[in-house]
Amino acid sequence: MRAVTAPTPGGVDALVVEDRPTPQPAPGEVLIRVTAAGVNRADLLQRQGLYNPPPGGTDILGLECSGDIVSVGEGVTDLQPGAHVCALLTGGGYAEYVSVPAGQVATVPVGISLTDAGGIMEVACTVWSNVFMMGKLQHGDTLLVHGGASGIGTMAIQLGKAFGARVIVTVGSEEKAAFCRELGADVTINYREQDFAEAMKESGEQADVILDIMGAKYLAANVSVLATAGRLVVIGMQGGTKAELNLGALLTKRAAVMATSLRARPVAEKSAIVSAMVAQVWPLITDGTVRPVIHATYPLEDVRQAHQVLEDSSHSGKVLLTV
């Protein structure tokens, strides 16, 4: 089968399409013929040699996909060959076939295409596990999302609004700000023109939950805009890994800082996240309240171009590879 790897870490030129053996499903797994795979920033980090697969994981890139089940391993009874599904992966999505634990697979929700479903599992599971399961966002809370026009950001806006939150986002252009407002964002802050913390303080805004992709660069500012008992959930380190934390400010607000990742969690944890997310999010997709936001699709052979789009941050929503 065709598959994408990065044998030597580097820029987009490090990506190669090569022949690999077609995997077979182990007990408890299903084999999927891939239709589409989502491109995520974690894939860029892996290509650069900064985010290696967990022990035993494949070096083929790709953390989510959609497609048809070809075969099932021993013990799998609730999924059958021919089913249209999408999956949360540890790796392997940038390929014609991928095997994955059955608990990390869900049938495609009614109302979206099989191709578009290739970009929904990673963002939906990330937002559900971090904003709702860990951050405990409630109706009437204020949610601050950094990178509002990203794949994760566009899902966070929609889910936040669907569950009755006020949503504030940071973006890098007025075009992206307008796009986020169309999705339902109540407040947009262009971080290239304003300091988001100062802008929020001037308007009297505080955040009950913050979904942060920047890490060190935004730590102090994030804590400064947390509401009493607020929750800061860090899921990325685009702004660095080390910063000074004012514990006094955190203590005064009785607030919490949490940092999580999804990829390296045990199968049982990821399966539980998928199950909880599907129960809550799939009905919202079916009735049209939430939709996958797709910026562009590229054939697998154009994977370098797809990575460049994310590298340039020129996208709004998800970038997909079609197989």
Side-chain angles (χ1 to χ4, degrees):
M1 68 172 186
R2 293 175 299 149
V4 176
T5 63
T8 303
V12 296
D13 291 343
L15 295 166
V16 297
V17 180
E18 59 184 17
D19 288 328
R20 284 291 184 91
T22 301
Q24 296 301 315
E29 293 185 342
V30 302
L31 179 65
I32 298 173
R33 179 189 297 111
V34 176
T35 296
V39 179
N40 293 281
R41 285 206 175 269
D43 303 335
L44 276 61
L45 294 174
Q46 181 174 335
R47 186 202 74 219
Q48 296 163 0
L50 302 174
Y51 190 38
N52 294 325
T58 178
D59 63 338
I60 299 170
L61 281 74
L63 299 180
E64 61 184 338
C65 74
S66 61
D68 301 314
I69 293 180
V70 177
S71 60
V72 302
E74 181 183 348
V76 177
T77 58
D78 55 343
L79 293 167
Q80 300 298 325
H84 295 332
V85 296
C86 47
L88 180 70
L89 310 172
T90 302
Y94 292 15
E96 292 183 284
Y97 295 90
V98 63
S99 58
V100 57
Q104 295 170 211
V105 178
T107 55
V108 173
V110 175
I112 64 171
S113 70
L114 186 57
T115 296
D116 286 358
I120 198 167
M121 284 292 271
E122 178 73 15
V123 293
C125 287
T126 296
V127 173
W128 189 258
S129 63
N130 289 290
V131 172
F132 293 90
M133 296 176 74
M134 291 194 65
K136 301 187 184 304
L137 186 75
Q138 302 293 317
H139 187 282
D141 280 353
T142 295
L143 170 66
L144 170 61
V145 180
H146 292 299
S150 67
I152 288 173
T154 55
M155 179 59 66
I157 292 169
Q158 294 180 83
L159 287 179
K161 295 304 296 181
F163 285 88
R166 178 174 173 80
V167 179
I168 302 171
V169 300
T170 61
V171 292
S173 70
E174 179 49 43
E175 180 183 14
K176 290 184 176 183
F179 183 77
C180 290
R181 288 192 293 269
E182 289 176 7
L183 285 176
D186 297 286
V187 178
T188 58
I189 302 171
N190 187 335
Y191 63 81
R192 299 186 192 278
E193 298 177 351
Q194 293 177 285
D195 178 286
F196 78 88
E198 291 302 320
M200 288 180 64
K201 290 171 185 175
E202 288 174 7
S203 59
E205 300 274 11
Q206 290 185 311
D208 298 287
V209 180
I210 301 175
L211 186 63
D212 176 59
I213 57 173
M214 295 303 293
K217 183 178 180 180
Y218 278 10
L219 179 60
N222 278 330
V223 170
S224 75
V225 298
L226 277 175
T228 300
R231 289 82 69 196
L232 165 60
V233 187
V234 181
I235 61 169
M237 298 176 290
Q238 294 180 38
T241 61
K242 294 182 179 181
E244 187 172 282
L245 175 61
N246 184 339
L247 291 175
L250 203 63
L251 188 67
T252 299
K253 295 185 176 189
R254 306 191 303 280
V257 177
M258 298 168 275
T260 72
S261 66
L262 189 57
R263 184 183 195 180
R265 294 192 189 201
V267 170
E269 287 189 24
K270 285 189 279 192
S271 297
I273 289 169
V274 169
S275 179
M277 182 278 293
V278 166
Q280 297 292 333
V281 178
W282 263 214
L284 297 173
I285 294 174
T286 297
D287 70 16
T289 301
V290 172
R291 62 182 176 87
V293 178
I294 309 301
H295 176 81
T297 60
Y298 297 90
L300 191 68
E301 287 73 17
D302 291 341
V303 61
R304 294 177 178 178
Q305 186 176 352
H307 269 229
Q308 192 63 57
V309 171
L310 259 69
E311 200 95 29
D312 296 339
S313 292
S314 59
H315 60 300
S316 293
K318 293 288 294 190
V319 174
L320 302 179
L321 296 172
T322 54
V323 181

